Amino acid sequence: MNLWWILFVFDGLLFAFVALTVVYLLVFSIASLFGHKPELLASKHINRFIVLIPSYQNDNSILQTVNSVLGQTYAQRMFDVVVISDHQSELTNMKLAQLPITLLTPNFKNSSKAKSLQYAVMNLPQFKIYDAVVVLDAGNVVLPEFLEQVNNAYEMSGTKAMQVHRLSKNRDTTAARLDAIFEEINTSIFRSGHMAMGLSAGLNGSGIVLDFQWFKNNVMKLKPTLGEDKELESLLMRDSIFVDFFDNIHVYDEKTSNFKDFNKQRGRWIFTQLHSLMSNIRYLPSALFHKKYDHADKILQWMLVPRTILVGIIAIMGIVMPFIYFTLVIKWWVAAALMLLAFSFATPDYLVDEHWDRDFLSAPLILIWGFINIFAAGKKEAEHRVSAAGKLLQNGKDTIQHRFKGRLPQKL
């Protein structure tokens, strides 16, 4: 009897978390169908941009990215390109050095995107004045009119933060096609859907445009974690800065081509979400009390079940529960139907091609690696923090021994 009671309680609590996530996804996926795409009107004011491109071991793609940025129709004197080349080959750096860009070559022991962005800001000439910063990833490609569109949108928006639409530039493998599908689903729900509901859009890692002074004042607050975009989101929300989204400005992103990298990526994202929740949950009462609904919504997002785990839980419960207690499985089947409905609303028509059925059947392959990589990413982050703490301790010991040389024992 006690065993049945435990089963009912466990099933009910687990379903409550899953149902909240499914309803959230369904509401915003439906809202995305009614999203408005404003026409970009030419602006008379020309902003000065700095384009930051952190590049960690991206020898194969960084040159293509830089050349696409340099090929802008925007006035050349009104933007600068800075590449932060971290652990790239000397040949790649030699090729980059020949281009009209600023090349920075840090050699971090523990590399991260946050460190690269901070390094770039610390090494900018003091006399350089910019209106906004554009953050791209190595592997991104932009069209010649990209900065013109960004300038027009930035003037039209009137906000200090923008996210543009990332699209896949390669869909040659099953993993790349699934990556493109899942990213477009996230774009529909967390950007288009939120904008349609009057809420702030989510950042997407690259294709980010921020007020330069705000970025300069806040980038040093970033920690070397796995989710710099989530930290930026939190800082923007705490400052009550609305993030606008422009669906018709495109950045083409290189997708992972194999399932090993695809699954590792999902594992890192799941850990990032958990880390973001633990770091920001304390702000939820204040956000609600001060009616900062964008901030409260962002924290609520991080409380939801990650999509990889969501699909896994619903699939497992939908298969196993009929053999335990049949009536309990009905609600799981309903949740599965609503989840698929939300995903179908959020998937653009152009992605439903001749590969769709076969690719979608491959989706369950991400589940096992997804769960494993939660711990892999967590272990990597923990090792990084322990290493940093050990280095700080050693620096402290060296400083003390230097200052009190001869007055301390040899062993400290």
Side-chain angles (χ1 to χ4, degrees), residues 77-365:
R77 70 182 187 282
M78 297 305 293
F79 72 94
D80 291 328
V81 180
V82 178
V83 174
I84 307 95
S85 177
D86 184 15
H87 288 86
Q88 295 191 141
S89 69
E90 291 185 11
L91 179 60
T92 298
N93 288 336
M94 287 176 60
K95 292 179 179 178
L96 289 170
Q98 296 173 14
L99 300 174
I101 65 171
T102 298
L103 177 64
L104 302 175
T105 56
N107 188 24
F108 302 123
K109 183 177 181 181
N110 296 298
S111 300
S112 73
K113 190 173 180 179
K115 285 185 177 180
S116 293
L117 294 175
Q118 291 166 350
Y119 188 86
V121 169
M122 288 188 296
N123 286 275
L124 288 178
Q126 294 297 319
F127 63 88
K128 291 281 188 177
I129 299 175
Y130 301 99
D131 296 299
V133 55
V134 179
V135 180
L136 299 176
D137 283 341
N140 290 166
V141 171
V142 294
L143 297 176
E145 63 271 17
F146 172 71
L147 283 180
E148 281 189 25
Q149 293 177 325
V150 168
N151 181 70
N152 295 337
Y154 192 70
E155 284 300 299
M156 186 172 70
S157 173
T159 185
K160 293 184 177 182
M162 285 172 28
Q163 173 66 56
V164 305
H165 190 173
R166 289 206 322 184
L167 292 172
S168 172
K169 74 175 183 181
N170 62 305
R171 288 190 288 134
D172 52 341
T173 67
T174 299
R177 288 191 291 270
L178 281 177
D179 198 359
I181 291 168
F182 291 162
E183 177 152 344
E184 284 286 26
I185 289 173
N186 285 339
T187 294
S188 295
I189 293 172
F190 298 108
R191 282 166 272 283
S192 297
H194 274 65
M195 289 292 294
M197 298 283 283
L199 292 170
S200 184
L203 297 182
N204 203 17
S206 68
I208 301 170
V209 184
L210 298 168
D211 175 80
F212 178 74
Q213 197 58 49
W214 183 91
F215 179 77
K216 186 177 179 181
N217 293 338
N218 286 272
V219 69
M220 303 310 294
K221 298 177 185 178
L222 299 181
K223 299 175 183 177
T225 63
L226 298 173
E228 292 78 11
D229 55 332
K230 298 293 185 292
E231 288 194 84
L232 281 172
E233 281 183 328
S234 179
L235 292 169
L236 288 166
M237 294 305 101
R238 274 183 262 169
D239 286 348
S240 299
I241 296 176
F242 185 84
V243 180
D244 209 342
F245 172 64
F246 285 86
D247 182 79
N248 43 6
I249 304 178
H250 298 156
V251 168
Y252 295 90
D253 182 53
E254 186 172 4
K255 299 303 177 187
T256 53
S257 298
N258 60 78
F259 275 108
K260 182 179 179 181
D261 293 337
F262 180 86
N263 291 321
K264 284 183 178 180
Q265 184 186 65
R266 263 59 197 174
R268 288 196 303 270
W269 288 354
I270 291 169
F271 173 75
T272 297
Q273 180 175 330
L274 295 174
H275 179 269
S276 300
L277 175 61
M278 298 304 294
S279 301
N280 291 276
I281 187 66
R282 65 184 186 274
Y283 298 116
L284 182 58
S286 175
L288 292 172
F289 181 78
H290 293 97
K291 298 182 180 180
K292 294 183 177 182
Y293 298 123
D294 281 333
H295 197 186
D297 171 71
K298 191 63 59 180
I299 298 172
L300 177 61
Q301 284 182 28
W302 297 329
M303 294 174 66
L304 300 177
V305 181
R307 263 74 69 204
T308 301
I309 296 179
L310 177 72
V311 174
I313 291 175
I314 292 178
I316 292 171
M317 298 300 286
I319 294 171
V320 172
M321 289 306 291
F323 299 100
I324 300 176
Y325 203 96
F326 185 80
T327 56
L328 292 180
V329 79
I330 297 176
K331 63 180 181 296
W332 290 103
W333 288 347
V334 172
L338 293 177
M339 179 187 67
L340 291 175
L341 186 63
F343 289 166
S344 65
F345 285 151
T347 303
D349 292 339
Y350 79 91
L351 290 175
V352 185
D353 53 20
E354 66 274 11
H355 302 289
W356 169 262
D357 293 336
R358 186 182 64 185
D359 292 342
F360 202 76
L361 290 175
S362 302
L365 294 175

Side-chain angles (χ1 to χ4, degrees), residues 378-411:
K379 181 180 178 182
K380 181 178 179 180
E381 175 69 9
E383 289 176 348
H384 170 72
R385 290 181 179 273
V386 169
S387 175
K391 185 176 180 180
L392 183 63
L393 178 61
Q394 183 61 48
N395 289 341
K397 288 172 59 178
D398 293 343
T399 301
I400 293 173
Q401 289 177 339
H402 174 73
R403 291 185 178 181
F404 298 95
K405 187 175 182 180
R407 287 182 282 171
L408 288 176
Q410 291 298 314
K411 293 185 178 180

